[in-house]
Amino acid sequence: MSGDMRDGLLVVRCQLGEREAFRELVGVWHAPLRRYLQGMVGSPHLADDLAQEVWIAVVRGLPRLRKPERFTPWLFTVARRTVTDHLRQAYRAPATPLEEAAAVVADDELSGVLTTMQIEAGLSQLPPPEREVLILFHLEDLPLAACAEVLGVAPGTVKSRLHRARRLLRTILAERGYEA
């Protein structure tokens, strides 16, 4: 059974009031959702908080979801709105000093292989639209059409953002001395 069909069945079971179905849905989608959120906000703790907000919104909105097989793009759209709302509030709030942590890894230990931390640091330097499309497409493995649906843009726009994002990430990593 394909993932869309499995998710669609879980959604229908949730809409019928089966609590176990919701637990299964969360079990399948919590880790990818949290990865997306952390990629967008950079903080694991904030990603956890936002994930809770997303799941609350999912519980409230699931009964009205008319196309259960389209759960994945719908979930990431809810997550995207949650991130956007958080960022709006953060920009309105008075500026607070940010704490930055840096990890030092010896180059000879990794033999030129980029670590997850290095890639995440590079991602954090990308503008939000480019960062978001890379996370959805490469880290969450969403197809172009689903990315386009989540982002509310045409598939061609997703392709151009992916191209730009890859180029920017390669430049950022090269400036830090990593071969891309």
Side-chain angles (χ1 to χ4, degrees):
M1 179 181 327
S2 77
D4 289 345
M5 285 183 62
R6 177 203 60 216
D7 295 341
L9 290 173
L10 285 173
V11 168
V12 169
R13 288 176 49 208
C14 289
Q15 291 172 331
L16 293 173
E18 287 187 39
R19 290 178 187 229
E20 184 57 34
F22 187 72
R23 279 190 206 99
E24 288 179 44
L25 201 59
V26 171
V28 169
W29 284 104
H30 185 72
L33 172 67
R34 193 180 170 291
R35 262 193 320 268
Y36 167 77
L37 293 169
Q38 185 172 343
M40 291 306 296
V41 297
S43 161
H45 302 295
L46 181 55
D48 289 337
D49 292 344
L50 293 176
Q52 286 182 352
E53 287 182 40
V54 171
W55 286 117
I56 290 169
V58 167
V59 166
R60 291 180 179 150
L62 211 50
R64 294 184 307 277
L65 183 60
R66 295 184 191 268
K67 294 182 178 180
E69 69 281 1
R70 303 298 300 149
F71 175 76
T72 304
W74 179 76
L75 172 66
F76 283 100
T77 300
V78 171
R80 184 173 196 250
R81 287 184 188 134
T82 302
V83 168
T84 302
D85 290 346
H86 167 75
L87 292 175
R88 273 193 201 113
Q89 290 172 355
Y91 288 135
R92 280 190 225 136
T96 57
L98 296 176
E99 294 178 11
E100 293 186 27
V104 177
V105 178
D107 288 338
D108 56 350
E109 289 179 34
L110 299 175
S111 302
V113 176
L114 293 176
T115 66
T116 303
M117 289 177 61
Q118 293 163 335
I119 293 173
E120 285 177 358
L123 278 174
S124 70
Q125 299 299 307
L126 292 175
E130 284 75 13
R131 179 180 343 138
E132 185 172 36
V133 75
L134 276 178
I135 291 168
L136 290 172
F137 187 77
H138 288 292
L139 299 180
E140 299 307 329
D141 291 326
L142 291 183
L144 280 174
C147 290
E149 189 174 335
V150 170
L151 300 173
V153 297
T157 303
V158 171
K159 287 180 184 179
S160 64
R161 283 187 189 172
L162 272 171
H163 177 74
R164 175 176 158 72
R166 289 178 188 131
R167 191 178 71 240
L168 287 171
L169 182 59
R170 189 176 301 118
T171 301
I172 289 167
L173 293 174
E175 287 173 356
R176 292 179 174 202
Y178 302 113
E179 296 293 321

